[in-house]
Amino acid sequence: MADDSRSDAGTPPASLTTRLTTAVRSFFASPIRRDAAAILAGLASGGVGAVVGAAELPVWVAALGTVLVTALFLLIERAAAADTADEKVKWLWGALAVALALPAGSWGYHVLFDSGDRSEYAFYLEGDRLDILESAGRPGGPQISGWPLRSGKSHNFECTARDPEGRLWLKAVAGNYWYEAARFSPVGDFTASDMPTCE
């Protein structure tokens, strides 16, 4: 029986890995295609920010998601441009680790910071929709740019605490972000005094 393991020219056919590597290199050899890939990565990063922003998640979650998506693209690009198989494997392992960190990080965030077992209380922040209210890192603390709230809409909180001067503060449902209760109006048949005290 004839040996089919060799091509018509008498040389062994290229392996699947070699063919894929050649195809990837050919794709990224074009500057236009590299630029298009970079644009797509930027759009994906922006999409992560838009999703977490729409969900009213903290700024650090949006920033971390964008960094991970960008890192994933850069690792894949490095793997495609690597000259040796060992280098390609190293960069691809890194890309796999980052890709797994995205769902694992999402799960960890919801378990540690956004548990569904607690009650949430909606409050309306008076004001123009163009105005924002910065958060504080503790009751009565200085304002930080951690999780600003937009005026003219409702926001959810989980518990209360008082500052050294006796003023009542509300804690956001995700993260350690605090807002003075006097700035808000409860949405529903309850008051801030009905909320649990933060431990």
Side-chain angles (χ1 to χ4, degrees):
M1 178 180 293
D3 186 2
D4 296 333
S5 64
R6 306 178 73 85
S7 64
D8 294 340
T11 58
S15 66
L16 177 60
T17 302
T18 301
R19 293 198 299 270
L20 289 175
T21 301
T22 301
V24 171
R25 282 185 172 177
S26 298
F27 179 85
F28 283 103
S30 169
I32 295 178
R33 290 172 180 171
R34 285 200 300 269
D35 292 343
I39 292 173
L40 289 176
L43 292 175
S45 300
V48 171
V51 169
V52 297
E56 292 190 344
L57 297 179
V59 173
W60 67 267
V61 176
L64 182 59
T66 300
V67 168
L68 288 175
V69 171
T70 303
L72 179 61
F73 168 77
L74 290 176
L75 289 170
I76 293 175
E77 190 275 333
R78 289 291 183 89
D83 294 325
T84 65
D86 289 341
E87 289 182 351
K88 291 182 185 297
V89 170
K90 179 183 70 175
W91 291 116
L92 287 175
W93 272 115
L96 177 61
V98 173
L100 293 176
L102 287 167
S106 176
W107 175 83
Y109 171 80
H110 286 291
V111 169
L112 296 175
F113 300 101
D114 194 28
S115 174
D117 296 334
R118 58 180 174 236
S119 299
E120 297 181 4
Y121 301 84
F123 284 79
Y124 184 80
L125 178 58
E126 300 287 349
D128 188 273
R129 285 186 175 271
L130 297 179
D131 297 332
I132 60 172
L133 175 64
E134 296 289 353
S135 62
R138 65 180 187 278
Q143 289 187 334
I144 58 175
S145 298
W147 192 7
L149 300 183
R150 190 170 298 280
S151 301
K153 60 182 300 187
S154 60
H155 304 276
N156 293 333
F157 302 91
E158 61 172 328
C159 57
T160 65
R162 293 188 180 275
D163 62 19
E165 298 180 1
R167 294 175 300 182
L168 190 64
W169 289 70
L170 304 173
K171 182 179 179 294
V173 295
N176 189 38
Y177 303 109
W178 295 83
Y179 310 86
E180 190 174 359
R183 302 287 301 272
F184 297 84
S185 301
V187 179
D189 188 17
F190 70 95
T191 65
S193 60
D194 298 324
M195 299 174 62
T197 301
C198 301
E199 299 178 357

